[in-house]
Amino acid sequence: TLSGGILTAPTEYIGASGTGTLTQNATTSTNQATNIYVGYASGSSGTYSLSAGILTAPTEYIGNSGKGTFTQGAGTSQNQADNIYVGYASGSSGTYTQQGGTTTVGTALYVGYDTGSVGSYALSGIGRLTTPAEYIGYYGTGTFTQTGGTNIITTLGIGAATGGSGTFTQSGGSVTVTNAIAAPVGTSTLNIDGGTFTLTANSMAVTNFNIGNSSGSNVTYTQ
C-alpha cells in the first residue's frame, strides 16, 4: 500500500508468479518505474488500484502472460505511460477500468495485443484518456466500452493487425478522433449508442458500423 512518499524501481512485478496487489491511495504518493508488470507469468494474478497520486512508467503490462487488473477510480489520480498493454502475450487476460482521473499515453494503448490475448478497457464517470494511438484488438481480442468520461485519440485502430478482433462500444461521454479510424486488417466493430463522437478527419474504415441501434439511444455523431 502506497499512501505517501515516492516509490522508485527499474521494474515492478505485481503478481510475478503468484498473486500480488498494489494499492496507491494518496495524493502525496508517486510511483516511478521503467516497466510495470501486473500479472507477469502464466498462472499469476496481479491487481493495481490507483485512487490518488501519480503513476509514471514508460511501459505498463496489464496482464503480461497472466491475469492483470488495473483500476483507476478518482479524479486526483494520474497515470502517465508511453505504452500501455492490456492483455499482452498469448494466454494473457487484462482488464483496465477507469472511472476517474487522467490517463495520458505517450505512444500507444493496446487492448488485446498478441495472438491469443484478451484485453478489455472500460472508461466511465469523469475519467479522461488521451492517447496518440488506440488499438482495440491488435493481434488478439480487445473490447473498449465507454459509458462516460472523455476519450481523446489521434488514430483509432479496431482489429488493427492480422487475426485481431476489436469491438469499440460507446453509450456515453465524448470521443474525439483527430486523425483517422484506420483500416482494419482483422475484424472491427464500432457501436455508438450514446454520447458524442467526433471524427475531425475524413477517414473511417471499420468492418461493422452501428449507430443509434439501441432503444432510446441519444447520439451526436460529427464527421
Side-chain angles (χ1 to χ4, degrees):
T1 301
L2 181 62
S3 56
I6 299 173
L7 171 62
T8 303
T11 305
E12 292 181 16
Y13 300 91
I14 317 301
S17 296
T19 300
T21 301
L22 192 153
T23 302
Q24 185 176 351
N25 58 15
T27 58
T28 56
S29 63
T30 301
N31 187 4
Q32 300 171 323
T34 300
N35 292 309
I36 293 180
Y37 297 94
V38 183
Y40 176 72
S42 178
S44 67
S45 178
T47 301
Y48 196 119
S49 177
L50 176 65
S51 59
I54 298 173
L55 168 62
T56 303
T59 309
E60 297 176 15
Y61 300 87
I62 313 303
N64 180 64
S65 292
K67 179 182 179 180
T69 301
F70 191 101
T71 302
Q72 186 173 356
T76 56
S77 61
Q78 185 168 2
N79 186 7
Q80 301 169 319
D82 287 337
N83 290 292
I84 297 179
Y85 298 93
V86 183
Y88 178 69
S90 179
S92 67
S93 173
T95 302
Y96 196 119
T97 302
Q98 184 181 0
Q99 300 165 327
T102 300
T103 296
T104 303
V105 183
T107 302
L109 166 66
Y110 298 91
V111 182
Y113 176 73
D114 205 356
T115 302
S117 68
V118 177
S120 64
Y121 197 114
L123 178 63
S124 64
I126 58 171
R128 183 180 180 88
L129 171 63
T130 303
T131 175
E134 193 170 293
Y135 297 110
I136 313 304
Y138 197 66
Y139 291 105
T141 300
T143 58
F144 191 103
T145 304
Q146 183 171 350
T147 59
T150 303
N151 191 0
I152 301 174
I153 314 161
T154 303
T155 299
L156 174 62
I158 308 172
T162 302
S165 177
T167 301
F168 188 110
T169 300
Q170 180 192 11
S171 60
S174 66
V175 177
T176 302
V177 182
T178 60
N179 182 26
I181 300 178
V185 178
T187 301
S188 65
T189 300
L190 175 60
N191 300 313
I192 307 175
D193 287 327
T196 302
F197 192 105
T198 303
L199 177 63
T200 60
N202 292 319
S203 177
M204 181 178 77
V206 291
T207 308
N208 303 296
F209 179 42
N210 306 303
I211 182 167
N213 280 356
S214 300
S215 177
S217 294
N218 186 3
V219 180
T220 300
Y221 178 85
T222 304
Q223 181 174 356

